[in-house]
Amino acid sequence: MKRPRDIEVELTFLPTEHGGRRGPAFSDYRPQFYYAGHDWDAPHEYPDVAQVNPGDTVRAFLCFLSPEEHIGKIKPGMAFLIREGNRVVGYGTIVRLLDLEASAMAARLRRGGVG
């Protein structure tokens, strides 16, 4: 199943020597998207590269597993962290919101709520 592209971001992965990952990340990488004191699950898609190495900066699309939780809370220009557990492995900035509203509505409908 193809995931929606909720947001477009620019990500910078920390170099290994600064606490970053030891190996590359690939599309469908599932770290936590961290902002406002909370971690959120958001699989990544890297449309321009086959893999992302420690120290790289890339464009990515993220798909929130709970998109309805982010409506009105995130916006372009907002900074966030990428974490694996409590370890920060990268950071980023939201470039633009894409399918977030439609994803949130679909998630509400799937859960039996009102759109």
Side-chain angles (χ1 to χ4, degrees):
M1 179 175 110
K2 184 173 174 166
R3 289 190 181 94
R5 292 176 166 179
D6 292 331
I7 61 175
E8 180 180 346
V9 300
E10 182 177 84
L11 296 175
T12 299
F13 282 80
L14 297 176
T16 303
E17 60 271 18
H18 292 129
R21 295 174 50 84
R22 292 189 188 130
F26 302 90
S27 285
D28 207 33
Y29 172 53
R30 293 172 171 238
Q32 287 77 49
F33 177 93
Y34 180 83
Y35 74 97
H38 297 282
D39 283 310
W40 303 94
D41 292 319
H44 294 193
E45 175 189 344
Y46 308 117
D48 305 321
V49 297
Q51 69 180 41
V52 183
N53 295 305
D56 286 353
T57 297
V58 297
R59 176 174 76 122
F61 297 114
L62 276 58
C63 168
F64 291 111
L65 299 186
S66 55
E68 67 278 15
E69 297 293 331
H70 306 285
I71 298 295
K73 297 178 184 172
I74 63 174
K75 63 184 179 190
M78 188 177 108
F80 60 90
L81 298 174
I82 296 298
R83 301 192 337 163
E84 292 180 357
N86 287 327
R87 184 175 70 143
V88 174
V89 296
Y91 57 92
T93 303
I94 296 174
V95 174
R96 61 189 173 130
L97 305 181
L98 300 170
D99 297 332
L100 183 60
E101 296 238 357
S103 291
M105 184 174 289
R108 283 188 205 107
L109 291 172
R110 278 192 308 273
R111 292 182 178 103
V114 176

